[in-house]
Amino acid sequence: MATTTTGASEKDQAAGAGSTTPPPRAGVAPIRPRPTRGPAIVRFYRSAVGKKWVMAVTGIVLMGFVLAHMIGNLKLYLSKEEINLYGEALRNMPGPLLPRTVLLWTIRIVLILAFVFHIHSAAGLTLINRRARPPADRYQSKRDYIAADYASRTMRWTGIIILAFLVFHLMDLTWGNANSQFVRGDPYNNLVISFRRVPVAIAYSFAMVALAFHLYHGTWSMFQSMGLTNPRYNALRRRFAQGFALVILVGNLSFPIAVQLHAVEPECPHTIPTTEPCAKTS
């Protein structure tokens, strides 16, 4: 009996050795991908790769706006008429081709959508990363925390600071309900009078530091999210991220500093029209 059993076992082993398909494991259910529905673009956005691409593309749009906004505000140093004419030109672009403010509002809607999708994709990626990590790895060691880049560890908080600042900034210089001396169509005096308030100047400066950290890490990781990464160019990517964040920081910080140092003063506030030179009184 023992010889027969051994022989059968050897035959089974030989048959198993010659087979290319391993025997099924009892009690293990096959892993099947979760079915997805909806258009291809929606399915792509639901994936981690899609959210990274959306974050990168919307980040580029918002970076362009931040740079253009800072360059336009530099007209503050030219004259009251220059920056007010600039504001009026934004409302009138592209001249007689479209009704007044139509193109401006189109740009605003694009920026709002970019901002919303940027936040939504960031939140979605955070949830995906948390679910993908096993419970034992959800807590970093002290060494890992120190080794992590400071800007990357503060992305969530700098994003919250920027969002809160944006709401106040719109109330202060666009809608006017946070500035008792606000005059529509007079961006020069609105900005100068607002920055003469020390708490506003400090809050604006703090928000610009948070924006610089956010831009630095966002610009650095943007290329990686889009798959445009190469070890040979990592140093160049980092210098570009540092340079872009530094340019935005220095340019935007100069406005409250110049006002607080009285290098820029109000000129004929509450006068209409605001795009013409002030009538200087001797």
Side-chain angles (χ1 to χ4, degrees):
M1 294 294 292
T3 305
T4 305
T5 305
T6 304
S9 176
E10 291 175 351
K11 289 180 180 179
D12 293 340
Q13 292 177 0
S19 175
T20 57
T21 303
R25 297 175 59 186
V28 178
I31 300 176
R32 296 185 177 91
R34 182 178 296 179
T36 56
R37 297 179 180 178
I41 190 171
V42 175
R43 297 198 303 269
F44 177 71
Y45 179 67
R46 288 174 179 170
S47 66
V49 175
K51 284 182 170 57
K52 287 182 178 180
W53 265 88
V54 170
M55 274 199 71
V57 172
T58 55
I60 292 172
V61 172
L62 295 173
M63 285 168 56
F65 166 73
V66 168
L67 180 62
H69 187 62
M70 185 207 70
I71 293 174
N73 285 341
L74 290 175
K75 290 181 177 290
L76 177 77
Y77 299 121
L78 298 179
S79 68
K80 168 180 176 287
E81 298 78 47
E82 284 290 336
I83 192 169
N84 285 1
L85 284 170
Y86 167 70
E88 189 67 16
L90 291 178
R91 291 185 285 271
N92 285 328
M93 62 180 181
L97 297 178
L98 289 174
R100 179 180 166 89
T101 72
V102 168
L103 182 57
L104 179 61
W105 270 106
T106 302
I107 295 173
R108 285 173 174 172
I109 291 172
V110 171
L111 290 172
I112 292 171
L113 290 175
F115 200 80
V116 169
F117 277 101
H118 194 76
I119 295 175
H120 187 268
S121 57
L125 280 172
T126 300
L127 293 176
I128 291 174
N129 291 335
R130 285 182 178 178
R131 292 168 183 167
R133 294 170 61 186
D137 296 339
R138 289 180 183 173
Y139 300 96
Q140 290 180 317
S141 67
K142 187 175 181 180
R143 173 180 289 183
D144 292 338
Y145 185 79
I146 294 175
D149 186 85
Y150 181 78
S152 65
R153 288 190 281 109
T154 57
M155 283 293 282
R156 183 186 310 168
W157 298 111
T158 55
I160 294 173
I161 292 171
I162 293 167
L163 179 61
F165 164 76
L166 179 62
V167 173
F168 172 77
H169 193 59
L170 291 171
M171 294 173 62
D172 185 28
L173 296 177
T174 301
W175 304 326
N177 49 355
N179 188 345
S180 60
Q181 301 186 56
F182 177 84
V183 174
R184 188 169 300 278
D186 192 4
Y188 176 90
N189 284 314
N190 290 338
L191 188 148
V192 175
I193 291 172
S194 179
F195 284 164
R196 293 180 78 180
R197 300 175 292 177
V198 175
V200 173
I202 293 174
Y204 180 89
S205 301
F206 179 73
M208 291 305 102
V209 173
L211 176 63
F213 275 107
H214 200 85
L215 284 173
Y216 164 65
H217 178 71
T219 306
W220 162 256
S221 60
M222 173 183 65
F223 297 100
Q224 186 173 358
S225 297
M226 301 177 72
L228 305 175
T229 179
N230 189 307
R232 293 184 299 175
Y233 306 125
N234 281 346
L236 182 61
R237 286 172 52 205
R238 188 172 295 277
R239 284 196 293 268
F240 174 76
Q242 292 171 341
F244 185 83
L246 184 62
V247 167
I248 298 299
L249 177 64
V250 172
N252 284 333
L253 280 183
S254 70
F255 305 132
I257 292 174
V259 173
Q260 287 294 317
L261 294 178
H262 299 282
V264 179
E265 294 282 3
E267 294 185 18
C268 302
H270 313 297
T271 58
I272 302 296
T274 60
T275 55
E276 294 182 2
C278 288
K280 304 292 184 180
T281 58
S282 58

